[in-house]
Amino acid sequence: YYLRSANGASEADIAQIAERLMVIGMVVNLVDEKFEGWFEAPELRIQSAEAWESALDLYGRLAEKGVSTYKTRIGRARILGYMGRWAECEGELRQLFNENKNLLGANRRLDSAALSKRPELLSAYLEWGFALGKPTTGGDEKSRRANATDVFNRIGLSLPADSKHGWYARYGQIQTLYDRGLYDEAKGYLR
């Protein structure tokens, strides 16, 4: 029904339908409504991917028309993350952050003014770090994990340590340092 209603709809309506399908997929797959990203559901077992596949189809239509927005890119990447399609998720987020370079501030921090205008980018940036840390077929895993550590470091420097995103960034830092064999550095963050 939702896919049929998207035929002939405006780009804004297609984006809204895709977002609804994403939420339906989260309900069907028992994703807690408090979760801001797939990194909060590491044990997720997909019950049905039908709604998410339909949403990906709609987000793909928007991309083909060249009318993707930062929100549609985040939605597409988030679904790919929930589905465990790490390389596609990371590619979508890489493109998102290439288009939003103003998020990267001085002193290896995130730009707070850019985040205040587009707060959704914070969770997406954290998802990017976790996607970079996931094993994929092809690509330089060492380089990906080093980039993941950089993402987590930037978030860690930009947010209070006791914030939710700050905690996930610390966890990501430790995990990627450990995966890279930098045990002493990981141990320092654990302290």
Side-chain angles (χ1 to χ4, degrees):
Y1 172 75
Y2 276 106
L3 282 178
R4 286 185 187 165
S5 68
N7 292 334
S10 70
E11 284 88 11
D13 288 340
I14 292 172
Q16 188 177 40
I17 293 167
E19 188 174 325
R20 286 181 187 162
L21 285 166
M22 179 176 66
V23 171
I24 289 170
M26 292 174 74
V27 171
V28 167
N29 290 295
L30 307 174
V31 175
D32 192 319
E33 64 185 38
K34 296 175 192 164
F35 289 174
E36 294 182 47
W38 54 265
F39 55 88
E40 294 184 75
E43 303 297 321
L44 178 68
R45 301 285 181 248
I46 296 176
Q47 309 294 314
S48 171
E50 184 178 356
W52 282 340
E53 291 290 352
S54 297
L56 288 174
D57 178 51
L58 294 179
Y59 284 133
R61 288 185 203 179
L62 293 172
E64 287 171 7
K65 292 180 179 184
V67 292
S68 290
T69 65
Y70 78 98
K71 288 184 179 182
T72 60
R73 285 202 188 286
I74 291 171
R76 184 171 192 281
R78 187 152 293 145
I79 292 169
L80 291 168
Y82 276 120
M83 294 176 73
R85 292 163 55 179
W86 311 125
E88 292 173 85
C89 175
E90 189 276 325
E92 189 71 34
L93 290 167
R94 181 178 355 98
Q95 190 168 352
L96 171 70
F97 291 109
N98 282 339
E99 294 169 358
N100 289 277
K101 290 183 185 214
N102 62 332
L103 181 65
L104 307 179
N107 300 327
R108 306 199 38 79
R109 295 177 185 270
L110 298 175
D111 185 277
S112 58
L115 274 178
S116 68
K117 291 177 187 171
R118 295 182 171 183
E120 303 89 351
L121 290 176
L122 180 58
S123 288
Y125 198 65
L126 196 49
E127 286 177 324
W128 191 29
F130 282 108
L132 284 164
K134 296 289 186 182
T136 61
T137 56
D140 180 13
E141 296 301 318
K142 284 185 174 184
S143 174
R144 289 172 54 85
R145 288 190 180 123
N147 289 339
T149 302
D150 290 342
V151 167
F152 294 129
N153 287 341
R154 190 177 294 269
I155 295 169
L157 289 171
S158 303
L159 299 176
D162 61 349
S163 70
K164 179 180 177 179
H165 290 92
W167 278 108
Y168 276 107
R170 296 284 183 249
Y171 172 78
Q173 279 176 319
I174 294 164
Q175 183 65 54
T176 56
L177 289 168
Y178 182 82
D179 291 345
R180 293 170 59 201
L182 302 172
Y183 306 117
D184 289 337
E185 205 172 328
K187 187 177 173 183
Y189 279 109
L190 277 171
R191 283 193 202 127

